[in-house]
Amino acid sequence: MMDVKRYLSSQWIPIILCGLSVCCMQTEAQAGFTSIDCGGTANYSDVNGISWIPDSYMGAISSEGDAKYVDPPPYTTDPTPLSTIRYFPGNHSKYCYVFTSEHGVQKDSAYLVRASFWAGSAVPYTTQVPNRVTFDLLIYTDLWDEMNISLPQIDREDFREIDILAIRDSIEVCLVGKSTGTDIPFISSLVLRPLDSDLKYVDHMVQWTGKRPLLSAYRINYGAPSAQTYIR
Ligand SMILES: *[C@@H]1O[C@H](CO)[C@@H](O)[C@H](O)[C@H]1NC(C)=O
Ligand SMILES: *[C@@H]1O[C@H](CO)[C@@H](O)[C@H](O)[C@H]1NC(C)=O
Ligand SMILES: *[C@@H]1O[C@H](CO)[C@@H](O)[C@H](O)[C@H]1NC(C)=O
């Protein structure tokens, strides 16, 4: 809950709490879904029928980082985006994935963005503190979160979710680079999901929070068969 406190005191966002219900969209209805396998090599559908594309379809970003195969978490079923990472050893101040109108992004529409991080036992580079990777995540130019991942990662990936209103016809999700004093950043997957404007909390975001984003702080299982069930 440390993160929540930090966010409540920061410039972003009042409140939070996204239950499973809003996230469990029908897999058949993938309209507007973009699911990026960072470091991946080919398109595929996962066991849930979600279509993944490698980040080489996201413009120059894939050429700015290196890809590495990692052993995915034990609960996953092959193929999974958690079997590769993209990491950015260069000296740019940030490395950005950009969702555009090509991915259906429209100014003022609401989206869920989820980034996942699974390096498994170790990252393929030296970090400032052994067995710990720290770097920042940005949405547009605002700080989204400060990642602080202990290695080895156990059981399942770290992930961050945010619900935002697009401020233009594109959404930039950036990893802050090593040149700014953080560790070399890495990422496993990044997904974009359009949110229906009829959703209560989307309406709340538009009407009451000055269009500031909502962070997903905690997930409560309202009936998924197990804690390991992957949420789409
Ligand atoms: C992979 O998916 C992308 C995005 O849908 C598409 O543009 C591309 O043609 C696909 N590539 C192959 C080899 O099917
Ligand atoms: C970044 O790295 C490139 C290639 O290694 C180098 O040419 C360039 O001078 C570096 N830029 C800075 C600002 O350190
Ligand atoms: C990362 O987390 C560890 C353990 O909670 C903490 O000791 C450390 O100060 C954190 N590092 C950063 C940069 O936040």
Side-chain angles (χ1 to χ4, degrees):
M1 296 307 282
M2 289 300 288
D3 286 356
V4 180
K5 276 197 202 130
R6 180 152 43 79
Y7 278 106
L8 290 177
S9 63
S10 77
Q11 58 174 351
W12 288 108
I13 317 101
I15 309 289
I16 297 135
L17 282 187
C18 149
L20 284 192
S21 52
V22 294
C23 308
C24 295
M25 299 176 197
Q26 289 291 313
T27 54
E28 294 77 21
Q30 283 190 49
F33 282 29
T34 303
S35 307
I36 302 164
D37 179 352
C38 305
T41 53
N43 294 355
Y44 59 86
S45 286
D46 69 15
V47 67
N48 296 311
I50 299 285
S51 303
W52 292 89
I53 56 169
D55 56 358
S56 51
Y57 286 106
M58 294 299 286
I61 185 77
S62 62
S63 62
E64 295 172 356
D66 296 337
K68 180 173 182 288
Y69 179 84
V70 298
D71 283 330
Y75 79 90
T76 54
T77 309
D78 195 48
T80 165
L82 302 180
S83 62
T84 53
I85 59 171
R86 173 82 57 194
Y87 62 102
F88 300 93
N91 56 15
H92 299 190
S93 58
K94 60 183 183 176
Y95 294 88
C96 299
Y97 286 89
V98 185
F99 295 103
T100 65
S101 50
E102 204 180 304
H103 308 106
V105 177
Q106 289 184 317
K107 183 173 184 286
D108 292 331
S109 292
Y111 300 89
L112 177 146
V113 176
R114 183 190 307 132
S116 300
F117 307 89
W118 172 265
S121 54
V123 287
Y125 46 83
T126 307
T127 53
Q128 300 177 62
V129 177
N131 303 320
R132 182 170 295 286
V133 193
T134 60
F135 57 90
D136 293 345
L137 281 183
L138 310 178
I139 293 265
Y140 297 114
T141 52
D142 293 318
L143 180 64
W144 171 8
D145 208 348
E146 296 166 297
M147 301 303 300
N148 184 351
I149 299 173
S150 308
L151 300 169
Q153 287 174 283
I154 311 281
D155 294 338
R156 70 173 309 153
E157 72 278 20
D158 284 78
F159 69 90
R160 294 293 182 273
E161 277 181 354
I162 192 167
D163 298 325
I164 62 165
L165 294 165
I167 60 173
R168 46 180 172 265
D169 289 345
S170 62
I171 295 174
E172 288 139 41
V173 181
C174 306
L175 299 123
V176 170
K178 182 181 73 152
S179 69
T180 57
T182 73
D183 286 322
I184 292 171
F186 78 92
I187 185 167
S188 301
S189 73
L190 185 62
V191 310
L192 180 76
R193 304 286 183 257
L195 296 172
D196 198 313
S197 58
D198 290 340
L199 284 168
K200 265 274 181 302
Y201 74 98
V202 169
D203 187 54
H204 181 87
M205 204 156 63
V206 173
Q207 306 283 345
W208 302 107
T209 69
K211 300 195 176 178
R212 282 181 295 174
L214 290 172
L215 285 179
S216 177
Y218 197 72
R219 243 195 205 160
I220 299 168
N221 186 340
Y222 288 112
S226 81
Q228 304 298 345
T229 302
Y230 193 70
I231 310 306
R232 288 153 262 164

PDB file of all heavy atoms in Angstrom, residues 129-155:
ATOM      1  N   VAL A 129      21.940  -1.460  -7.515  1.00  0.00           N
ATOM      2  CA  VAL A 129      21.893  -2.303  -6.324  1.00  0.00           C
ATOM      3  C   VAL A 129      21.715  -3.734  -6.831  1.00  0.00           C
ATOM      4  O   VAL A 129      20.816  -3.987  -7.634  1.00  0.00           O
ATOM      5  CB  VAL A 129      20.698  -1.903  -5.423  1.00  0.00           C
ATOM      6  CG1 VAL A 129      20.588  -2.821  -4.220  1.00  0.00           C
ATOM      7  CG2 VAL A 129      20.823  -0.447  -4.992  1.00  0.00           C
ATOM      8  N   PRO A 130      22.565  -4.647  -6.381  1.00  0.00           N
ATOM      9  CA  PRO A 130      22.440  -6.024  -6.881  1.00  0.00           C
ATOM     10  C   PRO A 130      21.029  -6.582  -6.632  1.00  0.00           C
ATOM     11  O   PRO A 130      20.418  -6.295  -5.603  1.00  0.00           O
ATOM     12  CB  PRO A 130      23.477  -6.794  -6.062  1.00  0.00           C
ATOM     13  CG  PRO A 130      24.463  -5.753  -5.615  1.00  0.00           C
ATOM     14  CD  PRO A 130      23.685  -4.482  -5.451  1.00  0.00           C
ATOM     15  N   ASN A 131      20.534  -7.351  -7.571  1.00  0.00           N
ATOM     16  CA  ASN A 131      19.232  -8.012  -7.446  1.00  0.00           C
ATOM     17  C   ASN A 131      18.052  -7.053  -7.293  1.00  0.00           C
ATOM     18  O   ASN A 131      17.032  -7.391  -6.685  1.00  0.00           O
ATOM     19  CB  ASN A 131      19.227  -9.009  -6.285  1.00  0.00           C
ATOM     20  CG  ASN A 131      20.308 -10.037  -6.453  1.00  0.00           C
ATOM     21  OD1 ASN A 131      20.541 -10.493  -7.584  1.00  0.00           O
ATOM     22  ND2 ASN A 131      20.989 -10.380  -5.386  1.00  0.00           N
ATOM     23  N   ARG A 132      18.201  -5.879  -7.838  1.00  0.00           N
ATOM     24  CA  ARG A 132      17.103  -4.915  -7.766  1.00  0.00           C
ATOM     25  C   ARG A 132      17.173  -4.008  -8.991  1.00  0.00           C
ATOM     26  O   ARG A 132      18.242  -3.514  -9.337  1.00  0.00           O
ATOM     27  CB  ARG A 132      17.252  -4.083  -6.487  1.00  0.00           C
ATOM     28  CG  ARG A 132      16.162  -3.080  -6.249  1.00  0.00           C
ATOM     29  CD  ARG A 132      16.272  -2.499  -4.848  1.00  0.00           C
ATOM     30  NE  ARG A 132      16.037  -3.514  -3.821  1.00  0.00           N
ATOM     31  CZ  ARG A 132      14.837  -4.002  -3.535  1.00  0.00           C
ATOM     32  NH1 ARG A 132      13.783  -3.597  -4.177  1.00  0.00           N
ATOM     33  NH2 ARG A 132      14.707  -4.899  -2.583  1.00  0.00           N
ATOM     34  N   VAL A 133      16.032  -3.818  -9.683  1.00  0.00           N
ATOM     35  CA  VAL A 133      15.996  -2.942 -10.856  1.00  0.00           C
ATOM     36  C   VAL A 133      15.060  -1.781 -10.559  1.00  0.00           C
ATOM     37  O   VAL A 133      13.911  -2.008 -10.165  1.00  0.00           O
ATOM     38  CB  VAL A 133      15.426  -3.655 -12.096  1.00  0.00           C
ATOM     39  CG1 VAL A 133      15.693  -2.826 -13.350  1.00  0.00           C
ATOM     40  CG2 VAL A 133      15.984  -5.032 -12.249  1.00  0.00           C
ATOM     41  N   THR A 134      15.540  -0.572 -10.715  1.00  0.00           N
ATOM     42  CA  THR A 134      14.668   0.588 -10.509  1.00  0.00           C
ATOM     43  C   THR A 134      14.702   1.479 -11.750  1.00  0.00           C
ATOM     44  O   THR A 134      15.766   1.737 -12.319  1.00  0.00           O
ATOM     45  CB  THR A 134      15.101   1.430  -9.280  1.00  0.00           C
ATOM     46  OG1 THR A 134      16.428   1.882  -9.492  1.00  0.00           O
ATOM     47  CG2 THR A 134      15.048   0.624  -7.999  1.00  0.00           C
ATOM     48  N   PHE A 135      13.523   1.870 -12.158  1.00  0.00           N
ATOM     49  CA  PHE A 135      13.392   2.821 -13.277  1.00  0.00           C
ATOM     50  C   PHE A 135      11.983   3.398 -13.225  1.00  0.00           C
ATOM     51  O   PHE A 135      11.115   2.860 -12.536  1.00  0.00           O
ATOM     52  CB  PHE A 135      13.662   2.142 -14.633  1.00  0.00           C
ATOM     53  CG  PHE A 135      12.788   0.953 -14.928  1.00  0.00           C
ATOM     54  CD1 PHE A 135      11.568   1.094 -15.580  1.00  0.00           C
ATOM     55  CD2 PHE A 135      13.175  -0.321 -14.538  1.00  0.00           C
ATOM     56  CE1 PHE A 135      10.762  -0.019 -15.842  1.00  0.00           C
ATOM     57  CE2 PHE A 135      12.374  -1.432 -14.801  1.00  0.00           C
ATOM     58  CZ  PHE A 135      11.170  -1.277 -15.447  1.00  0.00           C
ATOM     59  N   ASP A 136      11.779   4.495 -13.941  1.00  0.00           N
ATOM     60  CA  ASP A 136      10.486   5.163 -13.906  1.00  0.00           C
ATOM     61  C   ASP A 136       9.677   4.890 -15.167  1.00  0.00           C
ATOM     62  O   ASP A 136      10.226   4.680 -16.245  1.00  0.00           O
ATOM     63  CB  ASP A 136      10.672   6.682 -13.766  1.00  0.00           C
ATOM     64  CG  ASP A 136      11.261   7.061 -12.415  1.00  0.00           C
ATOM     65  OD1 ASP A 136      11.259   6.211 -11.503  1.00  0.00           O
ATOM     66  OD2 ASP A 136      11.725   8.210 -12.280  1.00  0.00           O
ATOM     67  N   LEU A 137       8.365   4.932 -14.971  1.00  0.00           N
ATOM     68  CA  LEU A 137       7.428   4.812 -16.078  1.00  0.00           C
ATOM     69  C   LEU A 137       6.713   6.143 -16.239  1.00  0.00           C
ATOM     70  O   LEU A 137       6.307   6.745 -15.237  1.00  0.00           O
ATOM     71  CB  LEU A 137       6.337   3.797 -15.724  1.00  0.00           C
ATOM     72  CG  LEU A 137       6.585   2.321 -15.821  1.00  0.00           C
ATOM     73  CD1 LEU A 137       5.279   1.599 -15.478  1.00  0.00           C
ATOM     74  CD2 LEU A 137       7.021   1.967 -17.225  1.00  0.00           C
ATOM     75  N   LEU A 138       6.553   6.550 -17.463  1.00  0.00           N
ATOM     76  CA  LEU A 138       5.828   7.794 -17.740  1.00  0.00           C
ATOM     77  C   LEU A 138       4.631   7.512 -18.635  1.00  0.00           C
ATOM     78  O   LEU A 138       4.674   6.595 -19.464  1.00  0.00           O
ATOM     79  CB  LEU A 138       6.716   8.804 -18.481  1.00  0.00           C
ATOM     80  CG  LEU A 138       8.110   9.132 -17.960  1.00  0.00           C
ATOM     81  CD1 LEU A 138       8.789  10.133 -18.902  1.00  0.00           C
ATOM     82  CD2 LEU A 138       8.033   9.719 -16.560  1.00  0.00           C
ATOM     83  N   ILE A 139       3.588   8.329 -18.476  1.00  0.00           N
ATOM     84  CA  ILE A 139       2.522   8.400 -19.479  1.00  0.00           C
ATOM     85  C   ILE A 139       2.593   9.830 -19.993  1.00  0.00           C
ATOM     86  O   ILE A 139       2.552  10.763 -19.193  1.00  0.00           O
ATOM     87  CB  ILE A 139       1.132   8.145 -18.870  1.00  0.00           C
ATOM     88  CG1 ILE A 139       1.013   6.712 -18.378  1.00  0.00           C
ATOM     89  CG2 ILE A 139       0.041   8.488 -19.877  1.00  0.00           C
ATOM     90  CD1 ILE A 139       0.385   5.738 -19.331  1.00  0.00           C
ATOM     91  N   TYR A 140       2.703   9.966 -21.309  1.00  0.00           N
ATOM     92  CA  TYR A 140       3.062  11.266 -21.877  1.00  0.00           C
ATOM     93  C   TYR A 140       4.334  11.710 -21.152  1.00  0.00           C
ATOM     94  O   TYR A 140       5.308  10.965 -21.151  1.00  0.00           O
ATOM     95  CB  TYR A 140       1.911  12.284 -21.745  1.00  0.00           C
ATOM     96  CG  TYR A 140       0.664  11.877 -22.512  1.00  0.00           C
ATOM     97  CD1 TYR A 140      -0.525  11.549 -21.844  1.00  0.00           C
ATOM     98  CD2 TYR A 140       0.665  11.830 -23.905  1.00  0.00           C
ATOM     99  CE1 TYR A 140      -1.666  11.191 -22.546  1.00  0.00           C
ATOM    100  CE2 TYR A 140      -0.479  11.468 -24.616  1.00  0.00           C
ATOM    101  CZ  TYR A 140      -1.636  11.151 -23.931  1.00  0.00           C
ATOM    102  OH  TYR A 140      -2.764  10.785 -24.613  1.00  0.00           O
ATOM    103  N   THR A 141       4.316  12.879 -20.489  1.00  0.00           N
ATOM    104  CA  THR A 141       5.550  13.267 -19.789  1.00  0.00           C
ATOM    105  C   THR A 141       5.391  13.201 -18.282  1.00  0.00           C
ATOM    106  O   THR A 141       6.255  13.644 -17.534  1.00  0.00           O
ATOM    107  CB  THR A 141       5.962  14.700 -20.184  1.00  0.00           C
ATOM    108  OG1 THR A 141       4.825  15.534 -19.985  1.00  0.00           O
ATOM    109  CG2 THR A 141       6.388  14.777 -21.639  1.00  0.00           C
ATOM    110  N   ASP A 142       4.268  12.659 -17.825  1.00  0.00           N
ATOM    111  CA  ASP A 142       4.015  12.594 -16.384  1.00  0.00           C
ATOM    112  C   ASP A 142       4.492  11.269 -15.790  1.00  0.00           C
ATOM    113  O   ASP A 142       4.357  10.214 -16.415  1.00  0.00           O
ATOM    114  CB  ASP A 142       2.512  12.722 -16.105  1.00  0.00           C
ATOM    115  CG  ASP A 142       1.993  14.098 -16.467  1.00  0.00           C
ATOM    116  OD1 ASP A 142       2.686  15.087 -16.175  1.00  0.00           O
ATOM    117  OD2 ASP A 142       0.904  14.182 -17.057  1.00  0.00           O
ATOM    118  N   LEU A 143       4.980  11.357 -14.578  1.00  0.00           N
ATOM    119  CA  LEU A 143       5.403  10.139 -13.903  1.00  0.00           C
ATOM    120  C   LEU A 143       4.192   9.246 -13.637  1.00  0.00           C
ATOM    121  O   LEU A 143       3.198   9.674 -13.059  1.00  0.00           O
ATOM    122  CB  LEU A 143       6.074  10.489 -12.566  1.00  0.00           C
ATOM    123  CG  LEU A 143       6.578   9.300 -11.754  1.00  0.00           C
ATOM    124  CD1 LEU A 143       7.685   8.561 -12.490  1.00  0.00           C
ATOM    125  CD2 LEU A 143       7.061   9.765 -10.382  1.00  0.00           C
ATOM    126  N   TRP A 144       4.286   7.997 -14.078  1.00  0.00           N
ATOM    127  CA  TRP A 144       3.225   7.033 -13.807  1.00  0.00           C
ATOM    128  C   TRP A 144       3.605   6.248 -12.555  1.00  0.00           C
ATOM    129  O   TRP A 144       2.854   6.168 -11.604  1.00  0.00           O
ATOM    130  CB  TRP A 144       3.034   6.148 -15.041  1.00  0.00           C
ATOM    131  CG  TRP A 144       2.132   4.957 -14.883  1.00  0.00           C
ATOM    132  CD1 TRP A 144       1.341   4.664 -13.810  1.00  0.00           C
ATOM    133  CD2 TRP A 144       1.923   3.917 -15.841  1.00  0.00           C
ATOM    134  NE1 TRP A 144       0.659   3.489 -14.049  1.00  0.00           N
ATOM    135  CE2 TRP A 144       0.997   3.024 -15.276  1.00  0.00           C
ATOM    136  CE3 TRP A 144       2.434   3.651 -17.121  1.00  0.00           C
ATOM    137  CZ2 TRP A 144       0.562   1.885 -15.949  1.00  0.00           C
ATOM    138  CZ3 TRP A 144       2.003   2.525 -17.786  1.00  0.00           C
ATOM    139  CH2 TRP A 144       1.082   1.647 -17.211  1.00  0.00           C
ATOM    140  N   ASP A 145       4.797   5.684 -12.557  1.00  0.00           N
ATOM    141  CA  ASP A 145       5.216   4.948 -11.363  1.00  0.00           C
ATOM    142  C   ASP A 145       6.726   4.790 -11.353  1.00  0.00           C
ATOM    143  O   ASP A 145       7.385   4.916 -12.381  1.00  0.00           O
ATOM    144  CB  ASP A 145       4.564   3.560 -11.321  1.00  0.00           C
ATOM    145  CG  ASP A 145       4.390   3.058  -9.887  1.00  0.00           C
ATOM    146  OD1 ASP A 145       4.973   3.657  -8.968  1.00  0.00           O
ATOM    147  OD2 ASP A 145       3.685   2.054  -9.691  1.00  0.00           O
ATOM    148  N   GLU A 146       7.232   4.538 -10.173  1.00  0.00           N
ATOM    149  CA  GLU A 146       8.652   4.244 -10.011  1.00  0.00           C
ATOM    150  C   GLU A 146       8.765   2.755  -9.775  1.00  0.00           C
ATOM    151  O   GLU A 146       8.376   2.256  -8.727  1.00  0.00           O
ATOM    152  CB  GLU A 146       9.197   5.017  -8.802  1.00  0.00           C
ATOM    153  CG  GLU A 146       9.133   6.517  -8.995  1.00  0.00           C
ATOM    154  CD  GLU A 146       9.353   7.290  -7.709  1.00  0.00           C
ATOM    155  OE1 GLU A 146       8.534   7.136  -6.779  1.00  0.00           O
ATOM    156  OE2 GLU A 146      10.329   8.047  -7.642  1.00  0.00           O
ATOM    157  N   MET A 147       9.271   2.054 -10.759  1.00  0.00           N
ATOM    158  CA  MET A 147       9.390   0.605 -10.644  1.00  0.00           C
ATOM    159  C   MET A 147      10.578   0.275  -9.752  1.00  0.00           C
ATOM    160  O   MET A 147      11.627   0.919  -9.825  1.00  0.00           O
ATOM    161  CB  MET A 147       9.593  -0.034 -12.024  1.00  0.00           C
ATOM    162  CG  MET A 147       8.494   0.239 -13.031  1.00  0.00           C
ATOM    163  SD  MET A 147       6.861  -0.279 -12.466  1.00  0.00           S
ATOM    164  CE  MET A 147       7.130  -2.036 -12.234  1.00  0.00           C
ATOM    165  N   ASN A 148      10.382  -0.721  -8.936  1.00  0.00           N
ATOM    166  CA  ASN A 148      11.429  -1.150  -8.015  1.00  0.00           C
ATOM    167  C   ASN A 148      11.237  -2.663  -7.870  1.00  0.00           C
ATOM    168  O   ASN A 148      10.460  -3.125  -7.050  1.00  0.00           O
ATOM    169  CB  ASN A 148      11.225  -0.412  -6.679  1.00  0.00           C
ATOM    170  CG  ASN A 148      12.314  -0.722  -5.673  1.00  0.00           C
ATOM    171  OD1 ASN A 148      13.140  -1.614  -5.878  1.00  0.00           O
ATOM    172  ND2 ASN A 148      12.289  -0.006  -4.554  1.00  0.00           N
ATOM    173  N   ILE A 149      11.898  -3.405  -8.718  1.00  0.00           N
ATOM    174  CA  ILE A 149      11.627  -4.839  -8.843  1.00  0.00           C
ATOM    175  C   ILE A 149      12.782  -5.643  -8.242  1.00  0.00           C
ATOM    176  O   ILE A 149      13.939  -5.457  -8.629  1.00  0.00           O
ATOM    177  CB  ILE A 149      11.453  -5.213 -10.333  1.00  0.00           C
ATOM    178  CG1 ILE A 149      10.260  -4.439 -10.909  1.00  0.00           C
ATOM    179  CG2 ILE A 149      11.281  -6.718 -10.507  1.00  0.00           C
ATOM    180  CD1 ILE A 149      10.100  -4.595 -12.410  1.00  0.00           C
ATOM    181  N   SER A 150      12.463  -6.503  -7.292  1.00  0.00           N
ATOM    182  CA  SER A 150      13.487  -7.382  -6.703  1.00  0.00           C
ATOM    183  C   SER A 150      13.658  -8.614  -7.561  1.00  0.00           C
ATOM    184  O   SER A 150      12.678  -9.166  -8.072  1.00  0.00           O
ATOM    185  CB  SER A 150      13.046  -7.903  -5.334  1.00  0.00           C
ATOM    186  OG  SER A 150      12.656  -6.880  -4.530  1.00  0.00           O
ATOM    187  N   LEU A 151      14.884  -9.029  -7.682  1.00  0.00           N
ATOM    188  CA  LEU A 151      15.191 -10.240  -8.450  1.00  0.00           C
ATOM    189  C   LEU A 151      15.771 -11.294  -7.512  1.00  0.00           C
ATOM    190  O   LEU A 151      16.477 -10.943  -6.577  1.00  0.00           O
ATOM    191  CB  LEU A 151      16.203  -9.906  -9.541  1.00  0.00           C
ATOM    192  CG  LEU A 151      15.722  -8.840 -10.537  1.00  0.00           C
ATOM    193  CD1 LEU A 151      16.865  -8.373 -11.413  1.00  0.00           C
ATOM    194  CD2 LEU A 151      14.594  -9.387 -11.394  1.00  0.00           C
ATOM    195  N   PRO A 152      15.507 -12.547  -7.740  1.00  0.00           N
ATOM    196  CA  PRO A 152      14.643 -13.053  -8.807  1.00  0.00           C
ATOM    197  C   PRO A 152      13.181 -12.733  -8.535  1.00  0.00           C
ATOM    198  O   PRO A 152      12.771 -12.639  -7.390  1.00  0.00           O
ATOM    199  CB  PRO A 152      14.880 -14.569  -8.755  1.00  0.00           C
ATOM    200  CG  PRO A 152      15.247 -14.834  -7.331  1.00  0.00           C
ATOM    201  CD  PRO A 152      16.020 -13.635  -6.886  1.00  0.00           C
ATOM    202  N   GLN A 153      12.406 -12.571  -9.617  1.00  0.00           N
ATOM    203  CA  GLN A 153      10.965 -12.429  -9.438  1.00  0.00           C
ATOM    204  C   GLN A 153      10.381 -13.815  -9.181  1.00  0.00           C
ATOM    205  O   GLN A 153      10.840 -14.798  -9.751  1.00  0.00           O
ATOM    206  CB  GLN A 153      10.348 -11.806 -10.702  1.00  0.00           C
ATOM    207  CG  GLN A 153      10.665 -10.324 -10.836  1.00  0.00           C
ATOM    208  CD  GLN A 153      10.183  -9.754 -12.162  1.00  0.00           C
ATOM    209  OE1 GLN A 153      10.813  -9.977 -13.183  1.00  0.00           O
ATOM    210  NE2 GLN A 153       9.077  -9.045 -12.146  1.00  0.00           N
ATOM    211  N   ILE A 154       9.395 -13.838  -8.330  1.00  0.00           N
ATOM    212  CA  ILE A 154       8.836 -15.122  -7.910  1.00  0.00           C
ATOM    213  C   ILE A 154       7.370 -15.214  -8.341  1.00  0.00           C
ATOM    214  O   ILE A 154       6.642 -14.222  -8.244  1.00  0.00           O
ATOM    215  CB  ILE A 154       8.872 -15.263  -6.367  1.00  0.00           C
ATOM    216  CG1 ILE A 154      10.247 -14.905  -5.813  1.00  0.00           C
ATOM    217  CG2 ILE A 154       8.428 -16.645  -5.918  1.00  0.00           C
ATOM    218  CD1 ILE A 154      11.297 -15.967  -5.950  1.00  0.00           C
ATOM    219  N   ASP A 155       6.972 -16.371  -8.805  1.00  0.00           N
ATOM    220  CA  ASP A 155       5.573 -16.707  -9.091  1.00  0.00           C
ATOM    221  C   ASP A 155       4.955 -15.979 -10.278  1.00  0.00           C
ATOM    222  O   ASP A 155       4.449 -16.591 -11.184  1.00  0.00           O
ATOM    223  CB  ASP A 155       4.660 -16.478  -7.878  1.00  0.00           C
ATOM    224  CG  ASP A 155       4.987 -17.419  -6.745  1.00  0.00           C
ATOM    225  OD1 ASP A 155       5.587 -18.480  -7.033  1.00  0.00           O
ATOM    226  OD2 ASP A 155       4.683 -17.097  -5.590  1.00  0.00           O
TER     227      ASP A 155
END
